Amino acid sequence: MKTEKQVTIILDYPVQLADRVLDEITLRRPTMKERVEFDGKKLEDVREEMKMFGRLTGLRYEEMLLLDMGDYDKIAKEFLRFRSPDTPEGNPDAGVDAG
């Protein structure tokens, strides 16, 4: 089963950035280069995980810090879904618009 290359995550708690209101995030699939770069570090370390998710979403670390914890969990769930191709697409618990 193939999954999409990216997903759009609708934020339950939009964030006011300097130039716009962030109400959705597009997360792309990681490459093996990114896996090698980040798996060597402890992903339990939230800062490192946030840096990786920032790279995958195009957000700066400072912007990631503004996200609500529940919205951040959505990103983490989608990341894990990308790593598990057997997981059904369109999981209603993920709050995803697979666009």
Side-chain angles (χ1 to χ4, degrees):
M1 172 192 305
K2 290 186 179 182
T3 61
E4 61 275 3
K5 289 278 195 176
Q6 64 183 31
V7 296
T8 299
I9 299 167
I10 307 301
L11 301 181
D12 291 330
Y13 302 93
V15 175
Q16 179 64 53
L17 302 179
D19 61 341
R20 69 190 189 283
V21 173
L22 182 66
D23 57 358
E24 66 180 30
I25 294 174
T26 301
L27 178 71
R28 66 173 175 77
R29 292 184 66 86
T31 64
M32 285 306 294
K33 178 181 182 217
E34 289 159 335
R35 181 172 182 190
V36 168
E37 288 175 357
F38 288 99
D39 271 357
K41 300 172 183 169
K42 295 180 183 175
L43 282 182
E44 305 86 58
D45 182 347
V46 175
R47 284 183 220 99
E48 292 301 323
E49 183 180 74
M50 288 176 67
K51 289 176 187 176
M52 180 179 60
F53 290 167
R55 181 180 291 181
L56 298 175
T57 62
L59 294 174
R60 295 187 328 267
Y61 178 75
E62 296 77 20
E63 294 170 330
M64 295 292 295
L65 288 171
L66 298 173
L67 293 176
D68 178 84
M69 210 171 197
D71 288 328
Y72 182 83
D73 286 345
K74 287 182 180 182
I75 296 169
K77 284 180 185 178
E78 285 303 313
F79 175 78
L80 291 175
R81 192 174 67 82
F82 278 152
R83 292 189 64 174
S84 304
D86 294 336
T87 304
E89 293 181 20
N91 179 350
D93 294 333
V96 173
D97 172 19

